[in-house]
Amino acid sequence: MSEQEALGLAEEFTRYRRTVLDEVEVPGPAAVRRTVRGRGRRRLATTATTVLALFGGSALGYAAMDGPDHRPGPVEPTPSISASPTPSGSATPTPSPSATSASPTTPVPDGRISRAQLLGASVTLPAWRAGQGCPTSQTRISGDDREGVNWLVALDHGDVDGDGAVETVALVQCVLGTGGPMQVVAFDRDEAGKVVTLGRVVTTTIDKPQWLFALDVVGDGMVRVQVGDIAPGGGWKAEWSQRQWRGYRWKGGAFAQVSGPTSFGPNRHDVNLVVTATNLVLADTPDGSRVGMVNVRVRNMTGLAAYVSLRLGLPTAVRPDGAGWAACRNDPETTREPVTCDLNGLGDGKEVLLTLGFRVAAGTTVGTGKAEVDVRPVDVNFDFVEEVYEPDNTVEITYR
């Protein structure tokens, strides 16, 4: 090659470096990000290679040392760049940063399902407990509480299975009369976007818990459910139910309880006392007074009464008398209308029989009338407790 030809080639190469290579920045984190994301850089590299091929051997060798195809040194990873899957120290040449070898990661399906979307989807629910129930296979959840439907009571969202995407958690009730079984169910989406059932978190039972009041998915993916011991309805007020927050986590393909109590103590309202009593017939005695007795039977049909309060609404002139009052924790003689006898606790299925004597002082006239004999459960704080069914707590007797 003559000197003139060499100078011409140098000018061409200088022009090439000004117009093309100046656009190629020194590899760094930002360059790597753009290299991975765009295909334009690969087109530019291909064009540059074609130009160099036209210049011939010596120019191509020179460009290969400084050009865009020269492999950069190590690049510090940034939070937006995933580590390369290529093992370090491999003898096989790795591709240029302009053509990544990492295969795209399949995105995790988004399981955030709105209320409207869930109501519009056909879902499969975990089976209801044995007995009368609601549909579970490919069924629709209802937005209202009509008889025989699966009613959507509450909804929340969070990453409950730890896959990095949000799932949907729903409180559903099978409406039967004024109640029906309840369960908390987690839903997700499959890769096709279809709503699928992830699993059941917790359900009500015939024993306890009989009711689910609320749910809450916390930031770490734990599902918190407020459970109640006894279901409202049939005279049972919702505020009587004992409530507990229990936490559940996704473990080994199912939800398991990880926090909160696992059982309930006795419920103060879960008691049903029944009283029966005989009439009071007063008879004359040699000293001029009149005496008689009332047989009282108190039964506890269910639950536990910490204490029992017995009250007899007899006239003030009719006073307690005899040893039958020894079972009372208080002193009935100091009480007036009604005469009160405070008894100890009464367990489930237990009863107490009392034979209570009365006396009317000589010279005191007591006619014929009606009186109520009333029995009430009392809690450990000595407060009266409301019952589901109270008519059998009172009976009317006649005195004469």
Side-chain angles (χ1 to χ4, degrees):
M1 179 184 296
S2 66
E3 181 177 352
Q4 184 64 34
E5 289 175 331
L7 288 173
L9 180 59
E11 288 179 3
E12 289 295 330
F13 185 63
T14 300
R15 187 180 302 110
Y16 161 72
R17 290 179 63 85
R18 271 199 313 269
T19 59
V20 178
L21 296 187
D22 284 351
E23 295 179 16
V24 182
E25 60 189 38
V26 177
V32 172
R33 286 194 293 272
R34 285 192 292 274
T35 299
V36 172
R37 293 173 183 171
R39 297 180 180 178
R41 179 68 64 189
R42 291 197 294 273
R43 290 196 297 270
L44 179 61
T46 302
T47 302
T49 302
T50 303
V51 172
L52 288 176
L54 295 175
F55 290 130
S58 59
L60 180 60
Y62 184 73
M65 290 187 291
D66 294 319
D69 288 340
H70 184 65
R71 180 175 174 82
V75 179
E76 290 295 327
T78 63
S80 61
I81 301 294
S82 299
S84 170
T86 304
S88 60
S90 172
T92 304
T94 55
S96 165
S98 61
T100 178
S101 62
S103 58
T105 302
T106 303
V108 178
D110 181 11
R112 180 181 289 275
I113 305 164
S114 69
R115 178 181 175 85
Q117 289 170 336
L118 187 57
L119 294 178
S122 222
V123 300
T124 296
L125 295 173
W128 296 108
R129 64 174 182 247
Q132 185 181 7
C134 295
T136 57
S137 179
Q138 292 301 301
T139 184
R140 293 289 183 92
I141 300 177
S142 173
D144 57 51
D145 57 349
R146 289 175 288 111
E147 178 75 14
V149 303
N150 296 303
W151 175 36
L152 179 57
V153 181
L155 195 70
D156 203 359
H157 301 89
D159 182 8
V160 299
D161 62 359
D163 65 354
V166 171
E167 287 78 41
T168 300
V169 183
L171 171 55
V172 182
Q173 180 181 17
C174 171
V175 182
L176 300 173
T178 59
M182 311 174 79
Q183 58 180 322
V184 173
V185 184
F187 296 98
D188 203 351
R189 280 194 179 96
D190 61 16
E191 293 181 359
K194 181 182 177 182
V195 176
V196 294
T197 302
L198 181 64
R200 177 164 57 201
V201 179
V202 65
T203 184
T204 55
T205 66
I206 295 177
D207 185 20
K208 298 173 184 178
Q210 295 179 7
W211 202 255
L212 306 179
F213 285 99
L215 69 88
D216 176 36
V217 182
V218 297
D220 62 356
M222 182 171 68
V223 181
R224 298 174 66 243
V225 181
Q226 189 182 47
V227 301
D229 59 344
I230 298 175
W236 185 271
K237 300 178 183 178
E239 59 267 26
W240 291 355
S241 298
Q242 296 182 97
R243 304 187 185 197
Q244 300 173 350
W245 280 101
R246 299 181 181 181
Y248 302 85
R249 286 195 186 280
W250 181 256
K251 289 185 174 182
F255 286 94
Q257 185 178 350
V258 295
S259 68
T262 57
S263 62
F264 291 94
N267 189 305
R268 63 193 294 265
H269 294 280
D270 187 21
V271 60
N272 181 24
L273 298 183
V274 178
V275 62
T276 57
T278 59
N279 294 326
L280 173 61
V281 179
L282 298 170
D284 295 333
T285 64
D287 64 2
S289 63
R290 302 174 65 199
V291 296
M293 63 183 60
V294 175
N295 294 316
V296 178
R297 181 186 185 189
V298 180
R299 291 176 292 166
N300 185 8
M301 306 303 292
T302 182
L304 172 65
Y307 299 101
V308 175
S309 176
L310 174 65
R311 296 174 294 181
L312 300 98
L314 294 165
T316 303
V318 182
R319 304 309 305 150
D321 182 64
W325 299 89
C328 303
R329 299 173 59 251
N330 65 322
D331 182 5
E333 285 282 357
T334 62
T335 64
R336 290 296 184 261
E337 190 175 351
V339 176
T340 302
C341 173
D342 295 332
L343 299 168
N344 288 320
L346 200 58
D348 187 354
K350 303 295 183 180
E351 67 176 38
V352 58
L353 297 172
L354 303 171
T355 300
L356 304 177
F358 291 92
R359 181 182 295 271
V360 175
T364 302
T365 301
V366 174
T368 299
K370 300 288 185 180
E372 285 190 346
V373 178
D374 181 83
V375 64
R376 299 286 167 177
V378 179
D379 65 15
V380 293
N381 297 317
F382 301 103
D383 294 324
F384 289 116
V385 176
E386 293 181 274
E387 292 185 39
V388 172
Y389 187 70
E390 294 187 336
D392 56 7
N393 288 62
T394 304
V395 63
E396 188 176 72
I397 65 172
T398 300
Y399 62 87
R400 60 179 184 272

CSV table of all heavy atoms in Angstrom, one decimal, residues 329-355:
chain,number,residue,atom,x,y,z
A,329,ARG,N,-75.8,-18.1,100.3
A,329,ARG,CA,-74.5,-17.5,100.7
A,329,ARG,C,-74.7,-16.2,101.4
A,329,ARG,O,-73.8,-15.7,102.1
A,329,ARG,CB,-73.7,-17.2,99.4
A,329,ARG,CG,-73.4,-18.5,98.6
A,329,ARG,CD,-72.7,-18.2,97.2
A,329,ARG,NE,-71.5,-17.4,97.4
A,329,ARG,CZ,-71.4,-16.1,97.1
A,329,ARG,NH1,-72.4,-15.5,96.6
A,329,ARG,NH2,-70.2,-15.5,97.2
A,330,ASN,N,-75.9,-15.6,101.3
A,330,ASN,CA,-76.2,-14.4,102.0
A,330,ASN,C,-77.1,-14.7,103.2
A,330,ASN,O,-77.4,-15.9,103.5
A,330,ASN,CB,-76.9,-13.4,101.1
A,330,ASN,CG,-78.2,-13.9,100.6
A,330,ASN,OD1,-78.4,-15.1,100.3
A,330,ASN,ND2,-79.2,-13.0,100.4
A,331,ASP,N,-77.6,-13.6,103.8
A,331,ASP,CA,-78.6,-13.8,104.9
A,331,ASP,C,-80.0,-13.4,104.5
A,331,ASP,O,-80.3,-12.2,104.4
A,331,ASP,CB,-78.2,-13.0,106.2
A,331,ASP,CG,-79.1,-13.2,107.3
A,331,ASP,OD1,-80.0,-14.0,107.2
A,331,ASP,OD2,-78.9,-12.5,108.4
A,332,PRO,N,-80.8,-14.3,104.1
A,332,PRO,CA,-82.1,-13.9,103.5
A,332,PRO,C,-83.0,-13.1,104.5
A,332,PRO,O,-83.9,-12.4,104.1
A,332,PRO,CB,-82.8,-15.3,103.2
A,332,PRO,CG,-81.6,-16.2,103.0
A,332,PRO,CD,-80.6,-15.8,104.0
A,333,GLU,N,-82.7,-13.3,105.8
A,333,GLU,CA,-83.5,-12.6,106.8
A,333,GLU,C,-83.4,-11.1,106.7
A,333,GLU,O,-84.3,-10.3,107.1
A,333,GLU,CB,-83.1,-13.0,108.2
A,333,GLU,CG,-83.5,-14.4,108.7
A,333,GLU,CD,-85.0,-14.4,109.1
A,333,GLU,OE1,-85.6,-13.3,109.2
A,333,GLU,OE2,-85.5,-15.5,109.4
A,334,THR,N,-82.3,-10.6,106.1
A,334,THR,CA,-82.1,-9.2,106.0
A,334,THR,C,-82.7,-8.6,104.7
A,334,THR,O,-82.6,-7.4,104.5
A,334,THR,CB,-80.5,-8.9,106.0
A,334,THR,OG1,-79.9,-9.5,104.8
A,334,THR,CG2,-79.9,-9.4,107.2
A,335,THR,N,-83.2,-9.5,103.9
A,335,THR,CA,-83.8,-9.0,102.6
A,335,THR,C,-85.3,-8.8,102.8
A,335,THR,O,-86.0,-9.5,103.6
A,335,THR,CB,-83.5,-9.9,101.5
A,335,THR,OG1,-84.1,-11.2,101.7
A,335,THR,CG2,-82.0,-10.1,101.3
A,336,ARG,N,-85.9,-7.9,102.0
A,336,ARG,CA,-87.3,-7.8,102.0
A,336,ARG,C,-87.9,-8.1,100.7
A,336,ARG,O,-87.3,-9.0,100.0
A,336,ARG,CB,-87.6,-6.3,102.4
A,336,ARG,CG,-87.3,-5.9,103.8
A,336,ARG,CD,-88.2,-6.7,104.8
A,336,ARG,NE,-88.0,-6.4,106.2
A,336,ARG,CZ,-87.2,-7.1,107.0
A,336,ARG,NH1,-86.5,-8.1,106.6
A,336,ARG,NH2,-87.1,-6.7,108.3
A,337,GLU,N,-89.0,-7.6,100.3
A,337,GLU,CA,-89.6,-8.0,99.1
A,337,GLU,C,-88.8,-7.5,97.9
A,337,GLU,O,-88.6,-6.3,97.6
A,337,GLU,CB,-91.0,-7.4,99.0
A,337,GLU,CG,-91.9,-7.9,97.9
A,337,GLU,CD,-93.3,-7.3,97.9
A,337,GLU,OE1,-93.6,-6.7,98.9
A,337,GLU,OE2,-94.0,-7.5,97.0
A,338,PRO,N,-88.2,-8.4,97.1
A,338,PRO,CA,-88.3,-9.9,97.2
A,338,PRO,C,-87.3,-10.4,98.2
A,338,PRO,O,-86.3,-9.8,98.5
A,338,PRO,CB,-88.0,-10.4,95.8
A,338,PRO,CG,-87.0,-9.4,95.3
A,338,PRO,CD,-87.4,-8.1,95.8
A,339,VAL,N,-87.6,-11.6,98.8
A,339,VAL,CA,-86.7,-12.3,99.6
A,339,VAL,C,-85.6,-12.9,98.7
A,339,VAL,O,-86.0,-13.6,97.7
A,339,VAL,CB,-87.4,-13.4,100.4
A,339,VAL,CG1,-86.4,-14.2,101.2
A,339,VAL,CG2,-88.4,-12.8,101.4
A,340,THR,N,-84.4,-12.7,99.0
A,340,THR,CA,-83.3,-13.1,98.1
A,340,THR,C,-82.4,-14.2,98.7
A,340,THR,O,-82.0,-14.1,99.9
A,340,THR,CB,-82.4,-11.9,97.7
A,340,THR,OG1,-83.2,-10.9,97.1
A,340,THR,CG2,-81.3,-12.3,96.7
A,341,CYS,N,-82.1,-15.2,97.9
A,341,CYS,CA,-81.2,-16.2,98.3
A,341,CYS,C,-80.1,-16.4,97.2
A,341,CYS,O,-80.4,-16.7,96.1
A,341,CYS,CB,-81.9,-17.6,98.5
A,341,CYS,SG,-80.8,-19.0,98.8
A,342,ASP,N,-78.8,-16.1,97.6
A,342,ASP,CA,-77.7,-16.1,96.7
A,342,ASP,C,-77.1,-17.5,96.8
A,342,ASP,O,-76.5,-17.9,97.8
A,342,ASP,CB,-76.7,-15.1,96.9
A,342,ASP,CG,-77.2,-13.7,96.7
A,342,ASP,OD1,-78.1,-13.5,95.8
A,342,ASP,OD2,-76.8,-12.7,97.3
A,343,LEU,N,-77.1,-18.3,95.7
A,343,LEU,CA,-76.6,-19.6,95.7
A,343,LEU,C,-75.2,-19.7,95.0
A,343,LEU,O,-74.8,-18.8,94.3
A,343,LEU,CB,-77.5,-20.5,94.9
A,343,LEU,CG,-78.9,-20.6,95.6
A,343,LEU,CD1,-79.9,-21.3,94.6
A,343,LEU,CD2,-78.9,-21.4,96.9
A,344,ASN,N,-74.5,-20.8,95.2
A,344,ASN,CA,-73.2,-21.0,94.6
A,344,ASN,C,-73.5,-21.3,93.1
A,344,ASN,O,-74.6,-21.4,92.6
A,344,ASN,CB,-72.5,-22.1,95.2
A,344,ASN,CG,-71.9,-21.7,96.6
A,344,ASN,OD1,-71.4,-20.6,96.7
A,344,ASN,ND2,-72.0,-22.6,97.6
A,345,GLY,N,-72.4,-21.6,92.4
A,345,GLY,CA,-72.4,-21.9,90.9
A,345,GLY,C,-73.2,-23.2,90.6
A,345,GLY,O,-73.3,-24.1,91.5
A,346,LEU,N,-73.6,-23.2,89.4
A,346,LEU,CA,-74.4,-24.4,88.9
A,346,LEU,C,-73.9,-24.8,87.5
A,346,LEU,O,-74.0,-24.0,86.6
A,346,LEU,CB,-75.9,-24.1,88.9
A,346,LEU,CG,-76.9,-25.3,88.9
A,346,LEU,CD1,-76.6,-26.1,90.1
A,346,LEU,CD2,-78.3,-24.8,88.9
A,347,GLY,N,-73.3,-26.0,87.4
A,347,GLY,CA,-72.8,-26.4,86.2
A,347,GLY,C,-73.8,-26.9,85.2
A,347,GLY,O,-75.0,-27.1,85.5
A,348,ASP,N,-73.3,-27.2,84.0
A,348,ASP,CA,-74.1,-27.7,82.9
A,348,ASP,C,-74.8,-29.0,83.3
A,348,ASP,O,-74.2,-30.0,83.7
A,348,ASP,CB,-73.2,-27.9,81.7
A,348,ASP,CG,-74.0,-28.3,80.4
A,348,ASP,OD1,-75.3,-28.4,80.5
A,348,ASP,OD2,-73.4,-28.4,79.3
A,349,GLY,N,-76.2,-29.0,83.2
A,349,GLY,CA,-76.9,-30.2,83.5
A,349,GLY,C,-77.1,-30.5,85.0
A,349,GLY,O,-77.8,-31.5,85.4
A,350,LYS,N,-76.7,-29.5,85.8
A,350,LYS,CA,-76.8,-29.7,87.3
A,350,LYS,C,-78.1,-29.0,87.8
A,350,LYS,O,-78.7,-28.2,87.1
A,350,LYS,CB,-75.6,-29.1,88.0
A,350,LYS,CG,-74.3,-29.7,87.6
A,350,LYS,CD,-74.2,-31.1,88.0
A,350,LYS,CE,-72.8,-31.7,87.7
A,350,LYS,NZ,-72.7,-33.1,88.0
A,351,GLU,N,-78.6,-29.4,89.0
A,351,GLU,CA,-79.7,-28.8,89.6
A,351,GLU,C,-79.6,-28.7,91.1
A,351,GLU,O,-78.7,-29.4,91.7
A,351,GLU,CB,-81.0,-29.6,89.2
A,351,GLU,CG,-81.1,-31.0,89.8
A,351,GLU,CD,-82.4,-31.7,89.5
A,351,GLU,OE1,-82.9,-31.5,88.4
A,351,GLU,OE2,-82.9,-32.4,90.4
A,352,VAL,N,-80.4,-27.9,91.7
A,352,VAL,CA,-80.4,-27.8,93.1
A,352,VAL,C,-81.9,-27.8,93.6
A,352,VAL,O,-82.7,-27.1,93.0
A,352,VAL,CB,-79.7,-26.5,93.6
A,352,VAL,CG1,-80.3,-25.2,93.0
A,352,VAL,CG2,-79.6,-26.4,95.1
A,353,LEU,N,-82.1,-28.5,94.7
A,353,LEU,CA,-83.5,-28.6,95.3
A,353,LEU,C,-83.5,-27.9,96.7
A,353,LEU,O,-82.6,-28.2,97.5
A,353,LEU,CB,-83.9,-30.0,95.4
A,353,LEU,CG,-84.1,-30.8,94.1
A,353,LEU,CD1,-84.3,-32.3,94.4
A,353,LEU,CD2,-85.2,-30.2,93.3
A,354,LEU,N,-84.4,-27.0,96.9
A,354,LEU,CA,-84.5,-26.3,98.1
A,354,LEU,C,-85.9,-26.4,98.7
A,354,LEU,O,-86.9,-26.3,98.0
A,354,LEU,CB,-84.2,-24.8,97.9
A,354,LEU,CG,-82.8,-24.4,97.2
A,354,LEU,CD1,-82.8,-22.9,96.9
A,354,LEU,CD2,-81.7,-24.8,98.2
A,355,THR,N,-85.9,-26.6,100.0
A,355,THR,CA,-87.2,-26.6,100.8
A,355,THR,C,-87.1,-25.4,101.7
A,355,THR,O,-86.4,-25.4,102.7
A,355,THR,CB,-87.4,-27.9,101.5
A,355,THR,OG1,-87.4,-29.0,100.6
A,355,THR,CG2,-88.7,-27.8,102.3
